[in-house]
Amino acid sequence: MRIVLPLPTRALDVAQTVHETAVTGLLTLVNSRPTRNGAAARQPTPAPHAPAAGSRTPVVLVHGFGGNASTWSLLERWLSAAGFPVSHATTYSPFARCVTDVARALVGDCHGAMERAGTDQVHLIGYSLGGVVVRYAVQELGLEPHVRTAVTVAAPHRGTLAARLGRGTVAAALTPGSGILEDLRRGARASSVRWVSYYSDRDLVVRPRSSRLDERALRATNVLVPGVGHLGIIRSPLFLTSVVHLLRHDGHPERTRPEVAA
């Protein structure tokens, strides 16, 4: 039986989503600016590590809708401190023709990063829309044999109502039930790729049911980062610590039930 929420409840939900989307954009601008004395805003400090085993494997980062390479500035610091000297933040326009085009560009970026690193393997991390782009590149465009780990962070695998506020075909692809999302759901299959999804119980833009990777064939590990919003998840020390640990110990996980970042 389909449950239809009362109109006031749905209106409140949409209003909350619009509010967090607006705050996300505002914080991105604020956090990219220096303080009055020129110092950067206080951010979690990564602990230094010995070089990670397998650190030749490049880490390719894919930002979300309307983002840019600066989305990953904090994570790049943590990866560098962990001994991952090679990383590449791919960029794209939110008004690209379609998700497929963005994913094709990602495939090219991955091959370029692998060539520079002298390896045929790559780790992928995609935030929000970037997580959907990662899935499409791996599942549909032949990148699968080259991917050791594919991480999605607050990605709308089952769509998000917030996409209705955007313009263009890329935003439309993120609405619930879109052709792209259905293709990915039907095309999920077992492979050597280690799939991991990070999600939050306080994300008003992409709900937990959407941001979890529950397709059984993918054998994904779903990791909860509690108490943070859509922007906050990629700046959370819990997420940063967890994803760095994940890549430093890149064997396949034994458990596929939901875990909590710690």
Side-chain angles (χ1 to χ4, degrees):
M1 180 179 67
R2 182 181 179 186
I3 299 176
V4 179
L5 295 175
L7 183 59
T9 302
R10 284 181 286 164
L12 178 60
D13 190 61
V14 171
Q16 289 176 319
T17 298
V18 171
H19 175 265
E20 181 157 338
T21 302
V23 170
T24 294
L26 178 60
L27 287 178
T28 298
L29 291 174
V30 170
N31 288 328
S32 67
R33 296 176 181 173
T35 59
R36 288 184 180 179
N37 61 7
R42 180 175 296 179
Q43 297 175 332
T45 302
H49 294 275
S55 61
R56 281 183 59 201
T57 303
V59 183
V60 177
L61 310 169
V62 191
H63 63 74
F65 186 87
N68 54 47
S70 67
T71 297
W72 299 112
S73 57
L74 191 55
L75 178 57
E76 286 186 299
R77 285 175 49 202
W78 282 61
L79 289 172
S80 178
F84 287 92
V86 182
S87 63
H88 177 84
T90 192
T91 59
Y92 60 90
S93 167
F95 303 111
R97 285 196 309 172
C98 59
V99 169
T100 303
D101 284 353
V102 178
R104 287 197 186 101
L106 172 60
V107 172
D109 286 345
C110 287
H111 282 287
M114 288 186 286
E115 183 176 354
R116 290 190 297 272
T119 181
D120 64 351
Q121 296 284 290
V122 68
H123 298 300
L124 288 173
I125 303 177
Y127 167 63
S128 197
L129 166 60
V132 176
V133 172
V134 164
R135 280 192 71 184
Y136 200 89
V138 174
Q139 290 183 208
E140 305 295 327
L141 298 182
L143 195 58
E144 182 181 294
H146 300 287
V147 178
R148 294 179 70 149
T149 308
V151 177
T152 69
V153 188
H157 299 293
R158 289 175 179 78
T160 171
L161 294 177
R164 295 175 181 170
L165 304 175
R167 300 176 62 182
T169 56
V170 172
L174 302 184
T175 56
S178 75
I180 286 284
L181 297 180
E182 285 300 299
D183 286 347
L184 291 175
R185 182 184 64 80
R186 289 191 296 263
R189 59 186 179 274
S191 72
S192 61
V193 176
R194 177 180 54 160
W195 287 97
V196 182
S197 72
Y198 287 87
Y199 68 100
S200 174
D201 53 356
R202 295 290 298 275
D203 189 337
L204 300 180
V205 177
V206 181
R207 299 296 192 179
R209 182 180 177 277
S210 181
S211 53
R212 289 167 47 90
L213 271 174
D214 287 328
E215 286 86 346
R216 184 172 298 179
L218 297 179
R219 300 184 65 248
T221 300
N222 292 297
V223 184
L224 171 64
V225 183
V228 295
H230 192 65
L231 175 65
I233 190 170
I234 56 172
R235 306 181 67 81
S236 165
L238 290 178
F239 163 70
L240 295 165
T241 301
S242 177
V243 76
V244 168
H245 181 271
L246 177 81
L247 297 185
R248 284 176 58 85
H249 304 84
D250 64 354
H252 286 268
E254 295 180 359
R255 296 179 294 176
T256 57
R257 66 177 178 83
E259 298 177 355
V260 179

